[in-house]
Amino acid sequence: MSTAATRRSEWKISPVFLGIVAVMAVTGWAVWTDFAASAGLAVFLFTTSAWIVSLCLHEYAHARTAHHSGDITVGAKGYLTLDPLKYTHPLLSIVLPVVFVIMGGIGLPGGAVFIERGRVRGRWKHSLISAAGPLTNVLFAIVCTAPFWLDALDGVPGVFRFALAFLALLQVTAAILNFLPVPGLDGYGVLEPWLSYKVRRQVEPFAPFGLIFVFVLLFFVPEVYNAFFDAVYALLDALGIGQNDAYCGYQYFRFWEDPNPLCEQLVG
């Protein structure tokens, strides 16, 4: 294969990603039209596939920014194809985030793609590479919430509105968690280039445990959990999404449970 053909293949969108997008589109249509026999199952498939798409875009944003900042090896690693199977940690990038969505409705930050930082020159570029992923979640949240803050919900089916609100909640939680200045998360990656070599060396051993520490606090310290979701719902409210919309989206997402009477009443 010629060099030019190799380069084109590095940028070719993966059929795996296109398949996930197709699932998102079909199940989104099923939710909108109430075509599915089970509205909850349709919401589950739509939200899960959309969430995986956002995870792929998150990792792609890291890789694309790194590519333009000097690390041209990301193409050969397959990171520019949006293929979730090419990530360094597919378990951390895809499987665990989906599991945490099911368990607690929280957007778990995915495992970052492997960037050869030695090829990147300039602290601002290093910071931007780390920020690119969570900024993608922010952009995704803006898109999901646009119908709400633009007051464009006339004619939007209630269940689809709930699904969109829940998807927005996932993007907001992912953005907040990713931007925390905790070793191992993107927020620390933004700050790291500006720290002294001594501080970076002292912090480095804790990086593999940063995410675990955050989720231990979230799930086992009620005050932290409540403060976190207070911030999440405050942001959603500012974007026009009521707490009931996001809550009902999560209830429909958990299709294996009995329907929530409040949500069925709100659907009308």
Side-chain angles (χ1 to χ4, degrees):
M1 185 181 292
S2 67
T3 302
T6 300
R7 289 175 178 171
R8 285 197 298 270
S9 68
E10 292 176 355
W11 291 85
K12 188 177 180 180
I13 298 178
S14 162
V16 176
F17 177 77
L18 293 176
I20 298 170
V21 171
V23 171
M24 180 185 71
V26 171
T27 54
W29 170 81
V31 175
W32 182 282
T33 60
D34 196 26
F35 179 80
S38 169
L41 179 59
V43 168
F44 175 84
L45 294 173
F46 168 64
T47 309
T48 302
S49 56
W51 173 236
I52 295 175
V53 166
S54 75
L55 291 173
C56 292
L57 292 173
H58 176 112
E59 302 296 355
Y60 174 82
H62 283 307
R64 182 67 182 265
T65 308
H67 176 83
H68 290 294
S69 298
D71 182 9
I72 59 174
T73 68
V74 295
K77 297 184 178 88
Y79 296 158
L80 301 176
T81 65
L82 289 162
D83 186 349
L85 303 178
K86 296 293 185 180
Y87 297 146
T88 307
H89 299 293
L91 177 66
L92 293 177
S93 297
I94 302 296
V95 178
L96 282 182
V98 172
V99 170
F100 270 88
V101 169
I102 294 172
M103 289 177 56
I106 296 176
L108 174 72
V113 296
F114 178 71
I115 306 297
E116 295 188 18
R117 294 281 182 168
R119 296 174 177 269
V120 179
R121 295 290 182 267
R123 289 184 292 184
W124 280 108
K125 289 182 179 179
H126 283 284
S127 294
L128 186 57
I129 290 170
S130 294
L135 286 175
T136 303
N137 293 113
V138 171
L139 180 60
F140 213 107
I142 292 172
V143 172
C144 290
T145 58
F148 295 87
W149 49 264
L150 289 174
D151 197 22
L153 290 170
D154 289 344
V156 175
V159 177
F160 188 86
R161 184 180 81 244
F162 295 156
L164 209 56
F166 178 56
L167 185 57
L169 180 144
L170 295 180
Q171 300 304 324
V172 169
T173 58
I176 292 176
L177 290 174
N178 268 291
F179 272 127
L180 291 177
V182 175
L185 299 181
D186 290 328
Y188 177 76
V190 174
L191 295 176
E192 186 179 25
W194 306 90
L195 302 176
S196 68
Y197 176 77
K198 180 179 179 181
V199 171
R200 294 200 304 269
R201 290 283 295 179
Q202 291 174 336
V203 171
E204 186 177 0
F206 299 99
F209 310 103
L211 185 58
I212 296 174
F213 174 73
V214 168
F215 276 91
V216 166
L217 286 179
L218 274 175
F219 282 101
F220 295 100
V221 182
E223 292 80 7
V224 174
Y225 181 89
N226 292 334
F228 174 73
F229 271 99
D230 284 345
V232 169
Y233 283 119
L235 281 172
L236 289 175
D237 184 66
L239 292 169
I241 295 181
Q243 188 167 338
N244 280 340
D245 283 342
Y247 169 77
C248 287
Y250 182 54
Q251 293 301 307
Y252 272 97
F253 174 84
R254 296 175 65 87
F255 68 93
W256 54 89
E257 296 181 344
D258 292 333
N260 186 292
L262 170 63
C263 298
E264 291 189 321
Q265 181 180 353
L266 291 174
V267 168

PDB file of all heavy atoms in Angstrom, residues 46-80:
ATOM      1  N   PHE A  46     -31.258   3.830  22.309  1.00  0.00           N
ATOM      2  CA  PHE A  46     -30.941   5.142  21.760  1.00  0.00           C
ATOM      3  C   PHE A  46     -29.918   5.869  22.634  1.00  0.00           C
ATOM      4  O   PHE A  46     -28.893   6.373  22.142  1.00  0.00           O
ATOM      5  CB  PHE A  46     -32.207   5.984  21.635  1.00  0.00           C
ATOM      6  CG  PHE A  46     -31.959   7.439  21.355  1.00  0.00           C
ATOM      7  CD1 PHE A  46     -31.351   7.847  20.177  1.00  0.00           C
ATOM      8  CD2 PHE A  46     -32.314   8.409  22.287  1.00  0.00           C
ATOM      9  CE1 PHE A  46     -31.105   9.190  19.917  1.00  0.00           C
ATOM     10  CE2 PHE A  46     -32.089   9.755  22.043  1.00  0.00           C
ATOM     11  CZ  PHE A  46     -31.476  10.150  20.857  1.00  0.00           C
ATOM     12  N   THR A  47     -30.174   5.894  23.933  1.00  0.00           N
ATOM     13  CA  THR A  47     -29.278   6.620  24.838  1.00  0.00           C
ATOM     14  C   THR A  47     -27.910   5.962  24.918  1.00  0.00           C
ATOM     15  O   THR A  47     -26.883   6.651  24.914  1.00  0.00           O
ATOM     16  CB  THR A  47     -29.897   6.703  26.248  1.00  0.00           C
ATOM     17  OG1 THR A  47     -31.228   7.190  26.166  1.00  0.00           O
ATOM     18  CG2 THR A  47     -29.082   7.629  27.138  1.00  0.00           C
ATOM     19  N   THR A  48     -27.888   4.649  24.985  1.00  0.00           N
ATOM     20  CA  THR A  48     -26.609   3.938  25.071  1.00  0.00           C
ATOM     21  C   THR A  48     -25.782   4.134  23.808  1.00  0.00           C
ATOM     22  O   THR A  48     -24.572   4.420  23.884  1.00  0.00           O
ATOM     23  CB  THR A  48     -26.838   2.433  25.314  1.00  0.00           C
ATOM     24  OG1 THR A  48     -27.586   2.246  26.519  1.00  0.00           O
ATOM     25  CG2 THR A  48     -25.510   1.689  25.425  1.00  0.00           C
ATOM     26  N   SER A  49     -26.401   3.987  22.639  1.00  0.00           N
ATOM     27  CA  SER A  49     -25.652   4.173  21.396  1.00  0.00           C
ATOM     28  C   SER A  49     -25.184   5.626  21.249  1.00  0.00           C
ATOM     29  O   SER A  49     -24.053   5.884  20.819  1.00  0.00           O
ATOM     30  CB  SER A  49     -26.490   3.755  20.191  1.00  0.00           C
ATOM     31  OG  SER A  49     -27.722   4.451  20.144  1.00  0.00           O
ATOM     32  N   ALA A  50     -26.032   6.588  21.624  1.00  0.00           N
ATOM     33  CA  ALA A  50     -25.637   8.000  21.560  1.00  0.00           C
ATOM     34  C   ALA A  50     -24.498   8.291  22.535  1.00  0.00           C
ATOM     35  O   ALA A  50     -23.587   9.075  22.230  1.00  0.00           O
ATOM     36  CB  ALA A  50     -26.834   8.900  21.857  1.00  0.00           C
ATOM     37  N   TRP A  51     -24.553   7.650  23.693  1.00  0.00           N
ATOM     38  CA  TRP A  51     -23.492   7.826  24.686  1.00  0.00           C
ATOM     39  C   TRP A  51     -22.174   7.263  24.161  1.00  0.00           C
ATOM     40  O   TRP A  51     -21.113   7.886  24.297  1.00  0.00           O
ATOM     41  CB  TRP A  51     -23.895   7.158  25.986  1.00  0.00           C
ATOM     42  CG  TRP A  51     -22.847   7.106  27.059  1.00  0.00           C
ATOM     43  CD1 TRP A  51     -22.379   5.995  27.690  1.00  0.00           C
ATOM     44  CD2 TRP A  51     -22.145   8.213  27.654  1.00  0.00           C
ATOM     45  NE1 TRP A  51     -21.429   6.337  28.623  1.00  0.00           N
ATOM     46  CE2 TRP A  51     -21.268   7.683  28.618  1.00  0.00           C
ATOM     47  CE3 TRP A  51     -22.165   9.593  27.447  1.00  0.00           C
ATOM     48  CZ2 TRP A  51     -20.425   8.488  29.376  1.00  0.00           C
ATOM     49  CZ3 TRP A  51     -21.324  10.401  28.211  1.00  0.00           C
ATOM     50  CH2 TRP A  51     -20.473   9.842  29.164  1.00  0.00           C
ATOM     51  N   ILE A  52     -22.216   6.099  23.505  1.00  0.00           N
ATOM     52  CA  ILE A  52     -21.003   5.524  22.932  1.00  0.00           C
ATOM     53  C   ILE A  52     -20.463   6.418  21.818  1.00  0.00           C
ATOM     54  O   ILE A  52     -19.250   6.607  21.690  1.00  0.00           O
ATOM     55  CB  ILE A  52     -21.268   4.092  22.423  1.00  0.00           C
ATOM     56  CG1 ILE A  52     -21.600   3.166  23.594  1.00  0.00           C
ATOM     57  CG2 ILE A  52     -20.059   3.552  21.663  1.00  0.00           C
ATOM     58  CD1 ILE A  52     -22.004   1.762  23.177  1.00  0.00           C
ATOM     59  N   VAL A  53     -21.351   6.975  21.006  1.00  0.00           N
ATOM     60  CA  VAL A  53     -20.920   7.913  19.967  1.00  0.00           C
ATOM     61  C   VAL A  53     -20.180   9.090  20.599  1.00  0.00           C
ATOM     62  O   VAL A  53     -19.120   9.512  20.110  1.00  0.00           O
ATOM     63  CB  VAL A  53     -22.129   8.410  19.148  1.00  0.00           C
ATOM     64  CG1 VAL A  53     -21.749   9.633  18.300  1.00  0.00           C
ATOM     65  CG2 VAL A  53     -22.645   7.303  18.240  1.00  0.00           C
ATOM     66  N   SER A  54     -20.703   9.612  21.692  1.00  0.00           N
ATOM     67  CA  SER A  54     -20.049  10.746  22.353  1.00  0.00           C
ATOM     68  C   SER A  54     -18.697  10.339  22.936  1.00  0.00           C
ATOM     69  O   SER A  54     -17.745  11.139  22.928  1.00  0.00           O
ATOM     70  CB  SER A  54     -20.955  11.331  23.445  1.00  0.00           C
ATOM     71  OG  SER A  54     -20.985  10.513  24.603  1.00  0.00           O
ATOM     72  N   LEU A  55     -18.582   9.103  23.421  1.00  0.00           N
ATOM     73  CA  LEU A  55     -17.297   8.626  23.928  1.00  0.00           C
ATOM     74  C   LEU A  55     -16.270   8.527  22.792  1.00  0.00           C
ATOM     75  O   LEU A  55     -15.104   8.884  22.975  1.00  0.00           O
ATOM     76  CB  LEU A  55     -17.470   7.255  24.590  1.00  0.00           C
ATOM     77  CG  LEU A  55     -18.257   7.223  25.905  1.00  0.00           C
ATOM     78  CD1 LEU A  55     -18.489   5.784  26.342  1.00  0.00           C
ATOM     79  CD2 LEU A  55     -17.517   7.993  26.991  1.00  0.00           C
ATOM     80  N   CYS A  56     -16.722   8.044  21.639  1.00  0.00           N
ATOM     81  CA  CYS A  56     -15.832   7.969  20.480  1.00  0.00           C
ATOM     82  C   CYS A  56     -15.364   9.364  20.068  1.00  0.00           C
ATOM     83  O   CYS A  56     -14.182   9.577  19.767  1.00  0.00           O
ATOM     84  CB  CYS A  56     -16.539   7.285  19.314  1.00  0.00           C
ATOM     85  SG  CYS A  56     -16.892   5.529  19.553  1.00  0.00           S
ATOM     86  N   LEU A  57     -16.290  10.313  20.048  1.00  0.00           N
ATOM     87  CA  LEU A  57     -15.931  11.679  19.677  1.00  0.00           C
ATOM     88  C   LEU A  57     -14.993  12.309  20.706  1.00  0.00           C
ATOM     89  O   LEU A  57     -14.098  13.088  20.360  1.00  0.00           O
ATOM     90  CB  LEU A  57     -17.206  12.521  19.526  1.00  0.00           C
ATOM     91  CG  LEU A  57     -18.099  12.143  18.342  1.00  0.00           C
ATOM     92  CD1 LEU A  57     -19.408  12.924  18.402  1.00  0.00           C
ATOM     93  CD2 LEU A  57     -17.390  12.401  17.013  1.00  0.00           C
ATOM     94  N   HIS A  58     -15.199  11.967  21.974  1.00  0.00           N
ATOM     95  CA  HIS A  58     -14.326  12.447  23.049  1.00  0.00           C
ATOM     96  C   HIS A  58     -12.885  12.000  22.787  1.00  0.00           C
ATOM     97  O   HIS A  58     -11.950  12.810  22.816  1.00  0.00           O
ATOM     98  CB  HIS A  58     -14.834  11.880  24.381  1.00  0.00           C
ATOM     99  CG  HIS A  58     -13.978  12.204  25.560  1.00  0.00           C
ATOM    100  ND1 HIS A  58     -14.389  13.050  26.574  1.00  0.00           N
ATOM    101  CD2 HIS A  58     -12.736  11.792  25.921  1.00  0.00           C
ATOM    102  CE1 HIS A  58     -13.444  13.147  27.479  1.00  0.00           C
ATOM    103  NE2 HIS A  58     -12.425  12.387  27.120  1.00  0.00           N
ATOM    104  N   GLU A  59     -12.710  10.704  22.522  1.00  0.00           N
ATOM    105  CA  GLU A  59     -11.371  10.181  22.285  1.00  0.00           C
ATOM    106  C   GLU A  59     -10.793  10.707  20.964  1.00  0.00           C
ATOM    107  O   GLU A  59      -9.597  10.992  20.866  1.00  0.00           O
ATOM    108  CB  GLU A  59     -11.410   8.652  22.264  1.00  0.00           C
ATOM    109  CG  GLU A  59     -11.958   8.002  23.525  1.00  0.00           C
ATOM    110  CD  GLU A  59     -11.106   8.257  24.764  1.00  0.00           C
ATOM    111  OE1 GLU A  59     -10.023   8.872  24.642  1.00  0.00           O
ATOM    112  OE2 GLU A  59     -11.534   7.859  25.857  1.00  0.00           O
ATOM    113  N   TYR A  60     -11.648  10.839  19.960  1.00  0.00           N
ATOM    114  CA  TYR A  60     -11.206  11.385  18.675  1.00  0.00           C
ATOM    115  C   TYR A  60     -10.686  12.812  18.848  1.00  0.00           C
ATOM    116  O   TYR A  60      -9.692  13.197  18.224  1.00  0.00           O
ATOM    117  CB  TYR A  60     -12.365  11.362  17.686  1.00  0.00           C
ATOM    118  CG  TYR A  60     -12.073  12.036  16.368  1.00  0.00           C
ATOM    119  CD1 TYR A  60     -11.394  11.362  15.359  1.00  0.00           C
ATOM    120  CD2 TYR A  60     -12.487  13.348  16.130  1.00  0.00           C
ATOM    121  CE1 TYR A  60     -11.125  11.976  14.139  1.00  0.00           C
ATOM    122  CE2 TYR A  60     -12.217  13.968  14.916  1.00  0.00           C
ATOM    123  CZ  TYR A  60     -11.540  13.281  13.933  1.00  0.00           C
ATOM    124  OH  TYR A  60     -11.272  13.896  12.731  1.00  0.00           O
ATOM    125  N   ALA A  61     -11.369  13.589  19.680  1.00  0.00           N
ATOM    126  CA  ALA A  61     -10.948  14.979  19.894  1.00  0.00           C
ATOM    127  C   ALA A  61      -9.554  15.034  20.502  1.00  0.00           C
ATOM    128  O   ALA A  61      -8.725  15.871  20.110  1.00  0.00           O
ATOM    129  CB  ALA A  61     -11.954  15.702  20.795  1.00  0.00           C
ATOM    130  N   HIS A  62      -9.273  14.152  21.467  1.00  0.00           N
ATOM    131  CA  HIS A  62      -7.915  14.077  22.017  1.00  0.00           C
ATOM    132  C   HIS A  62      -6.910  13.780  20.906  1.00  0.00           C
ATOM    133  O   HIS A  62      -5.882  14.448  20.783  1.00  0.00           O
ATOM    134  CB  HIS A  62      -7.828  12.950  23.058  1.00  0.00           C
ATOM    135  CG  HIS A  62      -8.426  13.264  24.385  1.00  0.00           C
ATOM    136  ND1 HIS A  62      -8.085  14.383  25.122  1.00  0.00           N
ATOM    137  CD2 HIS A  62      -9.326  12.576  25.143  1.00  0.00           C
ATOM    138  CE1 HIS A  62      -8.757  14.376  26.266  1.00  0.00           C
ATOM    139  NE2 HIS A  62      -9.524  13.298  26.294  1.00  0.00           N
ATOM    140  N   ALA A  63      -7.231  12.741  20.107  1.00  0.00           N
ATOM    141  CA  ALA A  63      -6.292  12.285  19.082  1.00  0.00           C
ATOM    142  C   ALA A  63      -6.109  13.323  17.978  1.00  0.00           C
ATOM    143  O   ALA A  63      -4.975  13.575  17.526  1.00  0.00           O
ATOM    144  CB  ALA A  63      -6.769  10.955  18.495  1.00  0.00           C
ATOM    145  N   ARG A  64      -7.204  13.908  17.533  1.00  0.00           N
ATOM    146  CA  ARG A  64      -7.119  14.887  16.446  1.00  0.00           C
ATOM    147  C   ARG A  64      -6.299  16.105  16.888  1.00  0.00           C
ATOM    148  O   ARG A  64      -5.478  16.635  16.117  1.00  0.00           O
ATOM    149  CB  ARG A  64      -8.526  15.314  16.038  1.00  0.00           C
ATOM    150  CG  ARG A  64      -8.590  16.306  14.877  1.00  0.00           C
ATOM    151  CD  ARG A  64      -8.126  15.692  13.577  1.00  0.00           C
ATOM    152  NE  ARG A  64      -8.155  16.650  12.481  1.00  0.00           N
ATOM    153  CZ  ARG A  64      -9.165  16.793  11.626  1.00  0.00           C
ATOM    154  NH1 ARG A  64     -10.243  16.013  11.744  1.00  0.00           N
ATOM    155  NH2 ARG A  64      -9.107  17.678  10.658  1.00  0.00           N
ATOM    156  N   THR A  65      -6.511  16.553  18.108  1.00  0.00           N
ATOM    157  CA  THR A  65      -5.749  17.699  18.614  1.00  0.00           C
ATOM    158  C   THR A  65      -4.276  17.344  18.749  1.00  0.00           C
ATOM    159  O   THR A  65      -3.398  18.156  18.429  1.00  0.00           O
ATOM    160  CB  THR A  65      -6.309  18.158  19.977  1.00  0.00           C
ATOM    161  OG1 THR A  65      -7.721  18.358  19.870  1.00  0.00           O
ATOM    162  CG2 THR A  65      -5.660  19.449  20.425  1.00  0.00           C
ATOM    163  N   ALA A  66      -4.002  16.116  19.212  1.00  0.00           N
ATOM    164  CA  ALA A  66      -2.610  15.668  19.327  1.00  0.00           C
ATOM    165  C   ALA A  66      -1.948  15.601  17.956  1.00  0.00           C
ATOM    166  O   ALA A  66      -0.776  15.982  17.794  1.00  0.00           O
ATOM    167  CB  ALA A  66      -2.564  14.298  20.005  1.00  0.00           C
ATOM    168  N   HIS A  67      -2.689  15.135  16.966  1.00  0.00           N
ATOM    169  CA  HIS A  67      -2.160  15.034  15.601  1.00  0.00           C
ATOM    170  C   HIS A  67      -1.731  16.405  15.087  1.00  0.00           C
ATOM    171  O   HIS A  67      -0.641  16.553  14.513  1.00  0.00           O
ATOM    172  CB  HIS A  67      -3.221  14.430  14.679  1.00  0.00           C
ATOM    173  CG  HIS A  67      -2.811  14.374  13.247  1.00  0.00           C
ATOM    174  ND1 HIS A  67      -2.033  13.350  12.731  1.00  0.00           N
ATOM    175  CD2 HIS A  67      -3.064  15.208  12.199  1.00  0.00           C
ATOM    176  CE1 HIS A  67      -1.822  13.563  11.445  1.00  0.00           C
ATOM    177  NE2 HIS A  67      -2.439  14.681  11.094  1.00  0.00           N
ATOM    178  N   HIS A  68      -2.565  17.396  15.300  1.00  0.00           N
ATOM    179  CA  HIS A  68      -2.257  18.743  14.826  1.00  0.00           C
ATOM    180  C   HIS A  68      -1.227  19.440  15.716  1.00  0.00           C
ATOM    181  O   HIS A  68      -0.718  20.499  15.335  1.00  0.00           O
ATOM    182  CB  HIS A  68      -3.526  19.580  14.749  1.00  0.00           C
ATOM    183  CG  HIS A  68      -4.454  19.157  13.649  1.00  0.00           C
ATOM    184  ND1 HIS A  68      -4.137  19.276  12.315  1.00  0.00           N
ATOM    185  CD2 HIS A  68      -5.688  18.598  13.681  1.00  0.00           C
ATOM    186  CE1 HIS A  68      -5.128  18.820  11.571  1.00  0.00           C
ATOM    187  NE2 HIS A  68      -6.083  18.402  12.375  1.00  0.00           N
ATOM    188  N   SER A  69      -0.939  18.826  16.878  1.00  0.00           N
ATOM    189  CA  SER A  69       0.041  19.424  17.788  1.00  0.00           C
ATOM    190  C   SER A  69       1.413  18.779  17.671  1.00  0.00           C
ATOM    191  O   SER A  69       2.340  19.176  18.375  1.00  0.00           O
ATOM    192  CB  SER A  69      -0.456  19.295  19.243  1.00  0.00           C
ATOM    193  OG  SER A  69      -1.672  19.984  19.415  1.00  0.00           O
ATOM    194  N   GLY A  70       1.530  17.762  16.806  1.00  0.00           N
ATOM    195  CA  GLY A  70       2.845  17.172  16.585  1.00  0.00           C
ATOM    196  C   GLY A  70       2.938  15.670  16.688  1.00  0.00           C
ATOM    197  O   GLY A  70       3.913  15.071  16.212  1.00  0.00           O
ATOM    198  N   ASP A  71       1.963  15.013  17.301  1.00  0.00           N
ATOM    199  CA  ASP A  71       2.015  13.555  17.425  1.00  0.00           C
ATOM    200  C   ASP A  71       1.301  12.912  16.233  1.00  0.00           C
ATOM    201  O   ASP A  71       0.107  12.598  16.283  1.00  0.00           O
ATOM    202  CB  ASP A  71       1.369  13.101  18.733  1.00  0.00           C
ATOM    203  CG  ASP A  71       1.460  11.586  18.916  1.00  0.00           C
ATOM    204  OD1 ASP A  71       2.163  10.930  18.119  1.00  0.00           O
ATOM    205  OD2 ASP A  71       0.823  11.061  19.845  1.00  0.00           O
ATOM    206  N   ILE A  72       2.055  12.699  15.163  1.00  0.00           N
ATOM    207  CA  ILE A  72       1.459  12.137  13.949  1.00  0.00           C
ATOM    208  C   ILE A  72       1.279  10.628  14.048  1.00  0.00           C
ATOM    209  O   ILE A  72       0.730   9.996  13.141  1.00  0.00           O
ATOM    210  CB  ILE A  72       2.313  12.479  12.712  1.00  0.00           C
ATOM    211  CG1 ILE A  72       3.737  11.934  12.868  1.00  0.00           C
ATOM    212  CG2 ILE A  72       2.332  13.988  12.481  1.00  0.00           C
ATOM    213  CD1 ILE A  72       4.599  12.108  11.627  1.00  0.00           C
ATOM    214  N   THR A  73       1.714  10.018  15.164  1.00  0.00           N
ATOM    215  CA  THR A  73       1.572   8.563  15.320  1.00  0.00           C
ATOM    216  C   THR A  73       0.140   8.140  15.640  1.00  0.00           C
ATOM    217  O   THR A  73      -0.184   6.959  15.559  1.00  0.00           O
ATOM    218  CB  THR A  73       2.488   8.038  16.430  1.00  0.00           C
ATOM    219  OG1 THR A  73       2.037   8.524  17.711  1.00  0.00           O
ATOM    220  CG2 THR A  73       3.928   8.473  16.206  1.00  0.00           C
ATOM    221  N   VAL A  74      -0.716   9.087  16.018  1.00  0.00           N
ATOM    222  CA  VAL A  74      -2.086   8.710  16.397  1.00  0.00           C
ATOM    223  C   VAL A  74      -2.856   8.131  15.212  1.00  0.00           C
ATOM    224  O   VAL A  74      -3.750   7.302  15.385  1.00  0.00           O
ATOM    225  CB  VAL A  74      -2.859   9.917  16.989  1.00  0.00           C
ATOM    226  CG1 VAL A  74      -2.233  10.363  18.295  1.00  0.00           C
ATOM    227  CG2 VAL A  74      -2.924  11.072  15.996  1.00  0.00           C
ATOM    228  N   GLY A  75      -2.476   8.537  14.003  1.00  0.00           N
ATOM    229  CA  GLY A  75      -3.139   7.997  12.818  1.00  0.00           C
ATOM    230  C   GLY A  75      -2.842   6.520  12.646  1.00  0.00           C
ATOM    231  O   GLY A  75      -3.744   5.712  12.391  1.00  0.00           O
ATOM    232  N   ALA A  76      -1.578   6.146  12.791  1.00  0.00           N
ATOM    233  CA  ALA A  76      -1.184   4.747  12.641  1.00  0.00           C
ATOM    234  C   ALA A  76      -1.813   3.870  13.722  1.00  0.00           C
ATOM    235  O   ALA A  76      -2.017   2.672  13.513  1.00  0.00           O
ATOM    236  CB  ALA A  76       0.335   4.633  12.693  1.00  0.00           C
ATOM    237  N   LYS A  77      -2.135   4.451  14.860  1.00  0.00           N
ATOM    238  CA  LYS A  77      -2.767   3.685  15.946  1.00  0.00           C
ATOM    239  C   LYS A  77      -4.261   3.491  15.708  1.00  0.00           C
ATOM    240  O   LYS A  77      -4.918   2.767  16.457  1.00  0.00           O
ATOM    241  CB  LYS A  77      -2.552   4.400  17.279  1.00  0.00           C
ATOM    242  CG  LYS A  77      -1.090   4.515  17.709  1.00  0.00           C
ATOM    243  CD  LYS A  77      -0.999   5.148  19.090  1.00  0.00           C
ATOM    244  CE  LYS A  77       0.454   5.240  19.574  1.00  0.00           C
ATOM    245  NZ  LYS A  77       1.108   6.482  19.149  1.00  0.00           N
ATOM    246  N   GLY A  78      -4.801   4.160  14.700  1.00  0.00           N
ATOM    247  CA  GLY A  78      -6.221   4.000  14.391  1.00  0.00           C
ATOM    248  C   GLY A  78      -7.138   4.928  15.144  1.00  0.00           C
ATOM    249  O   GLY A  78      -8.362   4.816  15.058  1.00  0.00           O
ATOM    250  N   TYR A  79      -6.579   5.897  15.878  1.00  0.00           N
ATOM    251  CA  TYR A  79      -7.396   6.774  16.714  1.00  0.00           C
ATOM    252  C   TYR A  79      -8.247   7.752  15.909  1.00  0.00           C
ATOM    253  O   TYR A  79      -9.225   8.293  16.424  1.00  0.00           O
ATOM    254  CB  TYR A  79      -6.515   7.576  17.668  1.00  0.00           C
ATOM    255  CG  TYR A  79      -5.756   6.754  18.686  1.00  0.00           C
ATOM    256  CD1 TYR A  79      -4.622   7.260  19.293  1.00  0.00           C
ATOM    257  CD2 TYR A  79      -6.186   5.476  19.041  1.00  0.00           C
ATOM    258  CE1 TYR A  79      -3.917   6.528  20.234  1.00  0.00           C
ATOM    259  CE2 TYR A  79      -5.484   4.736  19.979  1.00  0.00           C
ATOM    260  CZ  TYR A  79      -4.344   5.268  20.574  1.00  0.00           C
ATOM    261  OH  TYR A  79      -3.654   4.544  21.499  1.00  0.00           O
ATOM    262  N   LEU A  80      -7.852   8.004  14.664  1.00  0.00           N
ATOM    263  CA  LEU A  80      -8.563   8.992  13.858  1.00  0.00           C
ATOM    264  C   LEU A  80      -9.718   8.385  13.065  1.00  0.00           C
ATOM    265  O   LEU A  80     -10.372   9.083  12.298  1.00  0.00           O
ATOM    266  CB  LEU A  80      -7.588   9.697  12.911  1.00  0.00           C
ATOM    267  CG  LEU A  80      -6.429  10.433  13.593  1.00  0.00           C
ATOM    268  CD1 LEU A  80      -5.484  11.016  12.561  1.00  0.00           C
ATOM    269  CD2 LEU A  80      -6.945  11.526  14.518  1.00  0.00           C
TER     270      LEU A  80
END
